[in-house]
Structures are given as C-alpha cells and as structure tokens.
Amino acid sequence: MTTPLTPSHTPSAPRRLTVPEVRARLAELTVVDVRTPGEYASGHLPGALNVPLDRLERALPALRAAGGEVLIVCRSGARSARACALLAGHGIVTADLTGGTTAWAADGHELHRPAGAARATWAMERQVRFAAGALVLAGLGLGLLHPAWQLLSAGIAGGLVLSALTDTCGMAAVLARLPHNRPRAADLDTTLAALAASGTR
C-alpha cells in the first residue's frame, strides 16, 4: 500500500502559469496530469503524462530525473496545487497551470485522448456529487422504514460541510481507490519510464 507523502523540506509556493504562458512553452515543459486515469482519458494537455495524485510518492525519483520545468495539471487547479506543494516539500520545484484543463479547453486549445481509450470516467467532482447525492437519498428513503437510517443523510451532510471548511474531501479519497480510478501497474511503470527519460532531452 502506498503511504501518504510526508514533506521533508519546507515547501515553497509553486509558480503559477497562465494558459497563454503554457501554450507558448508547451514543447519545453514536462507536463504531469495528476487526475485519475479515467479523467485523464477524457482529455488532457498534449504530451501530458498521467501520474495520479495518490501515486506521486512512487513518482518522486522519476520527477527528480525529469529535469527542466515540470508542469502539474488537473481539471481545475485544486489537485495540481496540492501536488505542487507536496512535491516542493520533497525539494522538487514545479509549476501549476492556473485553471487546469478546464481553462485550457475554454481558451480553445485541443485536449488529447489516448488512442483506443475506454469510455472516459466522470471527473472526480462529478463522482463525489453523485455518490453524496445517492447516499443522502438512500438515507432519506430508508429513513421511512426506520428513523435511524436518517443518520446516514446527516453524516453525508456533515462530511460535505467539513470538506468545505478544510478544503479536503474524504469521499474523493475513497472513490479514487475504486478500480476504474486506478492506473494499471504496467501503465504507471511506462509513464514513470517516460517521465525519467524526459530528463535526457
């Protein structure tokens, strides 16, 4: 089991790049997309490599070997900002794309999809909304049979409030461990090899 990243250095604020800045320098950047494999398959920046956020510890040697400037990307910028801070804590300087792939696409730039990719998985935010809504409805429905089931709905509501207050999401962490959100070991090995090889460019 992969253990959580534990920063070993005092992290510094990552450099934030706008879409035009990234577009102008895309060929010289090593782009790492930290979303789940399904989200990555739904569309990513040209040349981006997929290393899910919860697999970053395994990618540390490859990221150090990458050389040059590493751009971390996600859907909207929240996960990439967290990834940049964690990597900075391990002495790896990265940049962050402001607004993520959403801003990239909104600016009219193309998103690439893997050849022969399976049906894309919903974005993590959408998965969380669906799971939370389904659990609340289940709690309310089962509450008609026994009032104790309403505690399920109350628990989900409390979790959403806590998520907003702490800017974390326990449900997303759980959903990220489902098979459709996990990379195959062989795919991750290939990605890490490509990432390390980029340092020899």
Side-chain angles (χ1 to χ4, degrees), residues 24-188:
R25 300 182 51 215
L26 189 59
E28 66 190 59
L29 295 169
T30 298
V31 184
V32 176
D33 191 316
V34 296
R35 295 175 298 163
T36 67
E39 292 176 289
Y40 171 81
S42 71
H44 55 267
L45 266 67
L49 300 171
N50 184 218
V51 181
L53 181 60
D54 64 348
R55 296 298 184 92
L56 278 180
E57 183 173 5
R58 184 176 171 190
L60 288 174
L63 285 166
R64 288 194 180 99
E69 189 163 14
V70 177
L71 178 71
I72 306 296
V73 179
C74 70
R75 178 176 177 270
S76 62
R79 279 175 283 179
S80 59
R82 182 180 168 208
C84 285
L86 288 169
L87 292 172
H90 286 270
I92 300 174
V93 180
T94 56
D96 185 11
L97 172 59
T98 301
T101 56
T102 299
W104 179 267
D107 207 41
H109 301 305
E110 181 184 8
L111 291 175
H112 287 192
R113 291 168 178 79
R119 182 172 58 86
T121 302
W122 285 354
M124 184 56 66
E125 293 85 351
R126 187 178 180 188
Q127 293 184 52
V128 168
R129 292 197 303 270
F130 178 82
L135 288 171
V136 168
L137 288 175
L140 293 174
L142 292 171
L144 298 175
L145 301 178
H146 194 287
W149 280 106
Q150 294 178 6
L151 293 175
L152 175 61
S153 298
I156 296 299
L160 291 174
V161 171
L162 180 63
S163 174
L165 292 175
T166 61
D167 196 24
T168 61
C169 186
M171 185 174 289
V174 172
L175 291 173
R177 295 183 177 279
L178 295 178
H180 66 276
N181 284 324
R182 304 288 285 180
R184 293 182 302 177
D187 291 340
L188 186 58

